[in-house]
Amino acid sequence: MNWLTNYVRPKIRALYARKEVPDNLWHKCPSCESMLFHRDLEENLHVCQHCGFHMRLDPVKRLETMFDDGAYEGVELPKSVADPLKFRDQKRYTDRLKEAQTKTGRTDAIVVGEGRIGGHAAVVAAFDFGFMGGSMGIAVGEGLLTAARLAVAKNAPLIVVPASGGARMQEGILSLMQMPRTTIAVEMVKEAGLPYIVVLTDPTTGGVTASFAMLGDIHIAEKGAQIGFAGARVIESTIRETLPEGFQRSEYLLEHGMVDMVVHRRDLRPTLVRTIGLLMTPRIDALEPEDLDLTAVQAADGEPAQMPQPASQPAAQPATQPAATQPAAAQPVATQPAAPVQAGDD
């Protein structure tokens, strides 16, 4: 019995026992409720392969998908005051911060990186919605100012990827002050003549929409992203009217001229490469004449175009042949006067 109990029975139980499956192997699509295997979901950039629903993407993963070969250098952000107002609701604000930092492994809701996109230097600031809903506080404002200063120093375009519910209520008026601060950061980039591109993701609402998120030179939105200031239910209860279908979605905003283009997440990087290439490459007609290399310009018939002569040197005149002996001028031939017509000759 001891042999059967201690050896055979455990073997049989191990053979037929149900194996524990990790909880994170399968994910449920919030839109179509399809079950998605985690590897397929990661390969598809967290986009449902059945209905095309764009799920929220971790900011580090987003930076890897945007930069060349996924290589970028993280930018250290300045430290800010953790709890300037000593705020407390159901929990202390400091406790909420610690929980969010433990959950995400980040100090706040923004990640800044620098690298190359399509061979051009670029600075990207991406929000983390998992950190207190991506809300904008003092630390986020400092992060955007740091990104703008870095873009100006590197002569690189600034790309911001917001995913936020708006200003952080636990910081009160100090969070609202980040709206003009981020606006000043955007103006720094524009005054330097550099592109400022905003990639609107789900969701982009509140004070973020009312400040830097809508000040871009070009607005690119992901499919199905919610973009607006107040919530749809708040608007309906205020105006007491039913909102149209798709209200505050990226496709609706594209139809009404609020965004420039709506792209699939897999097409975002090629779109950014093409856009940055167009904005950062100088136009030929904008160059000074001495900057042009006319030797590389091909004529219409395929032959190299001729270099123009400097203004100080007159163009060489073609050699003239010696004048040949001119023949003597021909003498005019005397004409005979016509005979007078006599009457009756007809």
Side-chain angles (χ1 to χ4, degrees), residues 87-229:
F87 189 88
R88 179 174 183 174
D89 48 8
Q90 295 179 353
K91 290 183 181 180
R92 294 182 183 272
Y93 178 40
T94 53
D95 296 337
R96 292 186 182 276
L97 281 176
K98 291 178 181 178
E99 290 179 2
Q101 291 169 354
T102 303
K103 176 183 176 182
T104 62
R106 302 182 181 90
T107 57
D108 216 282
I110 190 171
V111 178
V112 179
E114 62 168 322
R116 293 194 168 271
I117 299 179
H120 296 276
V123 178
V124 180
F127 278 63
D128 183 5
F129 189 80
F131 193 103
M132 297 187 68
S135 54
M136 180 174 63
I138 298 176
V140 172
E142 289 289 346
L144 287 172
L145 279 171
T146 302
R149 294 190 184 105
L150 181 62
V152 173
K154 297 287 185 179
N155 194 33
L158 176 61
I159 304 172
V160 178
V161 188
S164 174
R168 188 170 297 175
M169 58 166 289
Q170 288 85 354
E171 296 186 14
I173 189 63
L174 298 177
S175 65
L176 297 179
M177 288 181 180
Q178 308 313 308
M179 297 171 63
R181 292 187 74 203
T182 54
T183 303
I184 293 173
V186 172
E187 290 301 320
M188 290 170 51
V189 177
K190 293 187 176 183
E191 288 177 359
L194 298 171
Y196 172 57
I197 303 173
V198 181
V199 180
L200 301 166
T201 64
D202 182 66
T204 301
T205 58
V208 170
T209 306
S211 55
F212 64 90
M214 285 298 172
L215 298 177
D217 298 315
I218 295 179
H219 293 97
I220 304 173
E222 287 188 338
K223 285 190 173 182
Q226 181 182 1
I227 306 166
F229 180 71

Side-chain angles (χ1 to χ4, degrees), residues 8-340:
V8 176
R9 185 176 294 177
K11 290 290 185 180
I12 295 175
R13 287 178 177 176
L15 184 63
Y16 290 98
R18 296 182 60 183
K19 296 182 180 180
E20 295 183 0
V21 179
D23 296 335
N24 58 354
L25 289 182
W26 294 89
H27 298 270
K28 188 176 182 179
C29 175
S31 179
C32 66
E33 299 185 352
S34 299
M35 297 303 296
L36 307 172
F37 190 54
H38 71 106
R39 293 180 182 174
D40 298 335
L41 191 61
E42 291 178 359
E43 292 178 357
N44 208 29
L45 301 178
H46 285 255
V47 177
C48 179
Q49 56 192 2
H50 300 287
C51 66
F53 179 79
H54 285 53
M55 304 179 190
R56 292 173 186 134
L57 189 63
D58 183 80
V60 173
K61 181 66 175 178
R62 185 176 292 278
L63 293 181
E64 292 176 352
T65 60
M66 294 173 68
F67 286 107
D68 294 348
D69 300 325
Y72 70 94
E73 183 178 351
V75 178
E76 184 177 357
L77 303 179
K79 294 182 179 180
S80 59
V81 181
D83 187 8
L85 302 180
K86 308 300 180 183
F87 189 88
R88 179 174 183 174
D89 48 8
Q90 295 179 353
K91 290 183 181 180
R92 294 182 183 272
Y93 178 40
T94 53
D95 296 337
R96 292 186 182 276
L97 281 176
K98 291 178 181 178
E99 290 179 2
Q101 291 169 354
T102 303
K103 176 183 176 182
T104 62
R106 302 182 181 90
T107 57
D108 216 282
I110 190 171
V111 178
V112 179
E114 62 168 322
R116 293 194 168 271
I117 299 179
H120 296 276
V123 178
V124 180
F127 278 63
D128 183 5
F129 189 80
F131 193 103
M132 297 187 68
S135 54
M136 180 174 63
I138 298 176
V140 172
E142 289 289 346
L144 287 172
L145 279 171
T146 302
R149 294 190 184 105
L150 181 62
V152 173
K154 297 287 185 179
N155 194 33
L158 176 61
I159 304 172
V160 178
V161 188
S164 174
R168 188 170 297 175
M169 58 166 289
Q170 288 85 354
E171 296 186 14
I173 189 63
L174 298 177
S175 65
L176 297 179
M177 288 181 180
Q178 308 313 308
M179 297 171 63
R181 292 187 74 203
T182 54
T183 303
I184 293 173
V186 172
E187 290 301 320
M188 290 170 51
V189 177
K190 293 187 176 183
E191 288 177 359
L194 298 171
Y196 172 57
I197 303 173
V198 181
V199 180
L200 301 166
T201 64
D202 182 66
T204 301
T205 58
V208 170
T209 306
S211 55
F212 64 90
M214 285 298 172
L215 298 177
D217 298 315
I218 295 179
H219 293 97
I220 304 173
E222 287 188 338
K223 285 190 173 182
Q226 181 182 1
I227 306 166
F229 180 71
R233 288 180 296 179
V234 175
I235 298 174
E236 283 186 338
S237 62
T238 302
I239 65 176
R240 297 182 180 181
E241 292 184 6
T242 302
L243 298 176
E245 184 179 357
F247 182 74
Q248 288 187 336
R249 295 296 172 178
S250 53
E251 293 80 6
Y252 182 89
L253 269 64
L254 177 65
E255 294 177 358
H256 291 77
M258 291 293 292
V259 298
D260 298 303
M261 62 185 80
V262 177
V263 299
H264 194 280
R265 187 171 291 168
R266 64 169 176 267
D267 301 326
L268 179 59
R269 172 177 156 74
T271 303
L272 289 174
V273 170
R274 183 170 61 254
T275 303
I276 294 175
L278 291 173
L279 295 177
M280 295 300 293
T281 302
R283 293 180 2 187
I284 295 180
D285 57 358
L287 296 175
E288 296 296 332
E290 57 269 14
D291 296 335
L292 294 176
D293 185 9
L294 296 181
T295 58
V297 181
Q298 297 294 325
D301 55 359
E303 297 180 357
Q306 299 295 329
M307 291 291 293
Q309 295 292 337
S312 59
Q313 298 179 3
Q317 299 293 334
T320 57
Q321 298 294 335
T325 305
Q326 298 293 333
Q331 296 295 330
V333 179
T335 56
Q336 298 295 332

